Amino acid sequence: MNIENQQRNPVLLVHGIDDTEAVFHKMRAYLIQRGWSVYSLDLVPNNGDVGLDELAKQVADYVTTTFAPEQPLDLVGFSMGGIVSRYYVQRLGGINRVQRFITISSPHRGTVVAYGSWRPGCVQMRPDSIFLKDLNSDAVILGQLDFTSIWTPYDLMIVPANSSQMSVGNEVIVPVPLHPWMLTDPRSLAVVKAALAEGIKLTSLKKVSSQ
């Protein structure tokens, strides 16, 4: 059950593989112009040399050092950053902080492109990896949040593209032709804005207020 709540939480942006937080320059400006406080961090290393669970700890540490303990957050993860963010939410206590969670072109069920590297983070993003099977085993808990998955059917980095689909939450297809354009296309930006403006679920409010 949704209740009317126009509260605007701080928004944390989490980038993908081989990216830095600079990849969000257009999205950041777009959201700030519309009244949001926007934060981001650089995941190090960003090339898959360490597991996504290790990168998720960086997200958890950033949240702890940047925000007050009682401050709820909204989380946006792009590509690999969406999986890193899921690990933070599902395994590192982020479920108790995050109210709105958006993934953009994230390989929730893996991508065959990840077979091109034996780096630990890439191995974890292969279809049917032990890491993803574990994360997907209780993905239903994302239903406690306002969760949205945004993806394009023309994605050549997430193969098959519908690996970005989830069986929980909301799904929005934005038919842009290239993976990186998901962060700059006006249609994507509009979807992110709409998802961040959604009323908070009653369960999310109870969860945060109980801390």
Side-chain angles (χ1 to χ4, degrees):
M1 174 180 176
N2 282 343
I3 65 172
E4 187 66 23
N5 188 317
Q6 297 305 314
Q7 160 185 324
R8 291 196 172 184
N9 296 330
V11 178
L12 177 58
L13 309 176
V14 183
H15 65 77
I17 195 165
D18 292 327
D19 287 331
T20 69
E21 59 90 21
V23 76
F24 290 113
H25 67 281
K26 186 169 184 178
M27 182 177 292
R28 176 197 293 273
Y30 177 90
L31 293 175
I32 289 174
Q33 187 178 32
R34 286 156 180 80
W36 275 275
S37 298
V38 183
Y39 298 79
S40 58
L41 74 160
D42 284 329
L43 301 174
V44 181
N46 65 356
N47 62 355
D49 269 350
V50 301
L52 308 191
D53 46 327
E54 291 298 316
L55 297 181
K57 292 175 185 176
Q58 296 180 27
V59 175
D61 290 343
Y62 181 87
V63 169
T64 299
T65 58
T66 305
F67 305 105
E70 69 280 1
Q71 175 63 60
L73 306 171
D74 294 340
L75 190 58
V76 180
F78 171 61
S79 196
M80 177 191 77
I83 308 303
V84 171
S85 297
R86 277 188 61 194
Y87 194 91
Y88 163 65
V89 169
Q90 293 177 235
R91 298 288 180 266
L92 300 180
I95 192 80
N96 297 313
R97 297 292 300 265
V98 176
Q99 292 187 333
R100 302 177 184 91
F101 180 24
I102 302 167
T103 61
I104 303 172
S105 292
S106 293
H108 295 298
R109 297 195 306 278
T111 172
V112 299
V113 174
Y115 284 110
S117 172
W118 282 96
R119 292 171 174 168
C122 296
V123 171
Q124 288 176 332
M125 288 190 287
R126 293 176 179 178
D128 296 320
S129 72
I130 293 172
F131 179 85
L132 288 178
K133 282 183 175 179
D134 174 69
L135 209 54
N136 288 329
S137 67
D138 60 354
V140 65
I141 70 172
L142 296 176
Q144 298 176 32
L145 314 177
D146 284 286
F147 174 68
T148 303
S149 173
I150 306 170
W151 64 286
T152 173
Y154 306 117
D155 208 317
L156 297 179
M157 286 295 293
I158 311 302
V159 182
N162 65 5
S163 175
S164 293
Q165 288 182 299
M166 288 285 283
S167 59
V168 62
N170 302 314
E171 173 189 358
V172 182
I173 297 175
V174 183
V176 303
L178 293 175
H179 187 71
W181 292 5
M182 291 295 286
L183 296 182
T184 58
D185 189 281
R187 293 167 294 180
S188 295
L189 297 178
V191 172
V192 170
K193 181 192 73 170
L196 291 174
E198 281 288 324
I200 297 295
K201 279 189 174 181
L202 184 60
T203 53
S204 295
L205 289 176
K206 284 183 177 177
K207 169 166 56 65
V208 170
S209 64
S210 67
Q211 290 184 353

